């Protein structure tokens, strides 16, 4: 005869929502903007939650989706100084949880900050553009080919160099409007938006001799590619008007080809790391279009824009 007495007990328990991505922007009247990028984890615990584990009773379970909504709600309604410091924001969330729900004994809030560094141009901080400095990877691939085999008296060098994982973001001066509309189009026109991408780019040289390779300023080109990439993204006004990622990509590559005649073509892959405003209308708050200040970064899916931009004459330059 089996016993109905349980041989186990719940020693500890907590549940909640993890990886709640929050980007909070503070816009000053003079155009200066501040940004924080958080990943928030909220866990609730209390003795009255035990029945949800042992008896399938969910009457007191605060849905994890509700906890996510509270994080976004507080990010909107709290003062900037309460949100822009992670320790303070975590304390505000935890305090809200234990005060709102009597049966919650403790709220555990963990915030990971994803740091963005303000971009500088001409020695001055830019008011609304940020970069993760020093995170990109530099690489190169060299192919040496005999032009009169089997002899090696004449050798052509094709060199492809590149960088990847250069993550950049700006909080304004990007739009996406007037795109193709059909029954599947649900995205509204965005006259101004946050735009972010992880830059992957590579550029190709063709050299007709080893001597030409030895004379090339590869470090200077690398620095110039990165400089043009960042400067186009932030400062080139052509990238602000109908500023699709496609337009920005083309301008970046075109500027590089104009500055460096030794480059034959430039390839970019620019994933569009979507950062969408959170609809807070269910809570009586305006946070869409011109009212947006609280956003949800969407990791998957993302847009993915690529292009290879070449010279009209693709003959070797050196």
């Amino acid at each position: 005869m089996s016993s109905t007495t349980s041989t186990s007990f719940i020693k500890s328990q907590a549940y909640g929502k993890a990886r709640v991505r929050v980007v909070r922007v503070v816009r000053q009247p003079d155009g200066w903007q501040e940004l924080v990028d958080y990943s928030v984890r909220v866990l609730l615990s209390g003795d009255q939650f035990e029945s949800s584990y042992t008896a399938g009773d969910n009457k007191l379970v605060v849905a994890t989706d509700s906890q996510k909504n509270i994080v976004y709600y507080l990010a909107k309604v709290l003062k900037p100084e309460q949100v822009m410091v992670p320790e303070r924001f975590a304390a505000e969330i935890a305090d809200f949880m234990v005060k709102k729900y009597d049966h919650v004994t403790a709220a555990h809030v963990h915030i990971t900050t994803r740091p963005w560094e303000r971009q500088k141009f001409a020695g001055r901080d830019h008011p609304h553009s940020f970069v993760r400095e020093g995170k990109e990877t530099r690489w190169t691939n060299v192919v040496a080919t005999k032009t009169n085999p089997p002899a090696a008296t004449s050798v052509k060098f094709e060199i492809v160099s590149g960088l990847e994982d250069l993550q950049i973001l700006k909080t304004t001066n990007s739009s996406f409007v007037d795109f193709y509309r059909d029954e599947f189009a649900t995205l509204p026109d965005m006259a101004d938006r946050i735009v972010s991408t992880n830059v992957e780019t590579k550029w190709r040289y063709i050299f007709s001799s080893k001597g030409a390779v030895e004379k090339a300023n590869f470090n200077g080109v690398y620095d110039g590619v990165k400089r043009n990439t960042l400067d186009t993204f932030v400062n080139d006004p052509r990238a602000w008007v109908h500023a699709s990622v496609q337009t920005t990509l083309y301008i970046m590559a075109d500027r590089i080809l104009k500055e460096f005649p030794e480059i034959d073509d430039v390839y970019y892959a620019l994933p569009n790391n979507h950062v969408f405003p959170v609809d807070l209308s269910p809570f009586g708050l305006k946070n869409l279009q011109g009212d947006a200040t609280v956003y949800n970064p969407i990791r998957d899916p993302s847009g993915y824009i690529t292009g290879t931009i070449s010279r009209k004459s693709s003959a070797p330059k050196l």
Side-chain angles (χ1 to χ4, degrees):
M1 182 173 179
S2 62
S3 172
T4 58
T5 303
S6 175
T7 59
S8 61
F9 72 100
I10 296 176
K11 186 174 182 179
S12 65
Q13 43 80 17
Y15 81 98
K17 202 73 163 181
R19 298 193 298 276
V20 179
R21 293 292 312 284
V22 181
V23 172
R24 176 67 159 96
V25 177
V26 176
R27 297 185 172 91
Q28 304 295 344
D30 61 359
W32 188 263
Q33 302 192 9
E34 302 285 346
L35 169 114
V36 290
D37 186 341
Y38 295 145
S39 180
V40 181
R41 184 180 69 212
V42 180
L43 298 177
L44 305 182
S45 61
D47 291 341
Q48 294 187 63
F49 291 127
E50 289 190 4
S51 60
S52 69
Y53 290 81
T54 60
D57 180 2
N58 295 327
K59 290 183 177 61
L60 291 177
V61 174
V62 181
T64 63
D65 188 70
S66 302
Q67 296 177 47
K68 175 204 69 178
N69 289 337
I70 288 171
V71 171
Y72 289 132
Y73 173 87
L74 292 176
K76 182 69 174 182
V77 301
L78 290 174
K79 296 178 181 179
E81 60 266 26
Q82 296 172 301
V83 179
M84 305 302 278
V85 178
E87 290 86 354
R88 291 197 65 182
F89 189 40
E92 293 287 348
I93 296 169
D95 183 65
F96 184 94
M97 295 291 186
V98 295
K99 288 180 176 177
K100 181 170 180 59
Y101 301 108
D102 291 339
H103 58 290
V104 172
T105 303
H108 314 262
V109 180
H110 180 86
I111 294 180
T112 301
T113 301
R114 295 166 57 85
W116 290 94
E117 297 181 31
R118 191 174 296 276
Q119 292 196 48
K120 292 180 180 288
F121 296 94
R124 301 182 63 182
D125 288 338
H126 195 275
H128 60 247
S129 295
F130 306 84
V131 64
R132 294 189 193 280
E133 282 286 3
K135 299 298 184 183
E136 79 274 8
T137 299
R138 179 178 178 176
W139 61 269
T140 190
N141 186 72
V142 179
V143 177
T145 304
K146 298 176 183 177
T147 59
N148 58 338
T153 54
S154 179
V155 177
K156 179 179 72 173
F157 295 83
E158 180 174 353
I159 300 178
V160 179
S161 298
L163 65 87
E164 57 190 27
D165 293 328
L166 176 64
Q167 189 166 0
I168 51 179
L169 176 150
K170 62 181 179 180
T171 54
T172 189
N173 283 345
S174 178
S175 65
F176 187 56
V177 298
D178 299 330
F179 50 90
Y180 187 84
R181 293 287 183 183
D182 62 12
E183 68 272 26
F184 298 107
T186 60
L187 185 72
D189 280 352
M190 296 182 179
D192 194 29
R193 61 178 179 171
I194 290 179
V195 64
S196 177
T197 187
N198 293 68
V199 177
E200 176 187 342
T201 182
K202 58 185 177 182
W203 51 97
R204 185 168 63 100
Y205 312 85
I206 297 177
F207 298 103
S208 59
S209 69
K210 179 71 177 301
V213 174
E214 293 170 350
K215 293 177 182 178
N217 182 9
F218 295 111
N219 284 342
V221 171
Y222 182 88
D223 292 339
V225 167
K226 183 177 178 181
R227 169 173 44 79
N228 278 290
T229 298
L230 295 176
D231 193 63
T232 298
F233 185 76
V234 176
N235 294 321
D236 197 313
R238 296 173 296 169
W240 299 351
V241 181
H242 301 296
S244 66
V245 178
Q246 289 89 330
T247 303
T248 304
L249 181 156
Y250 178 81
I251 296 170
M252 288 174 176
D254 185 62
R255 285 178 46 158
I256 291 166
L257 290 173
K258 288 177 178 176
E259 182 170 348
F260 300 106
E262 60 268 43
I263 293 178
D264 196 63
D265 55 45
V266 181
Y267 167 87
Y268 274 98
L270 299 178
N272 192 347
N273 300 329
H274 300 304
V275 184
F276 291 141
V278 180
D279 184 2
L280 296 175
S281 59
F283 316 111
L285 299 171
K286 294 181 179 180
N287 194 60
L288 300 177
Q289 301 297 338
D291 297 309
T293 56
V294 175
Y295 300 82
N296 178 22
I298 304 298
R299 181 174 182 177
D300 303 311
S302 70
Y304 196 74
I305 293 86
T306 70
T308 299
I309 312 303
S310 185
R311 300 182 184 278
K312 290 184 179 178
S313 174
S314 59
K317 304 301 179 293
L318 294 172

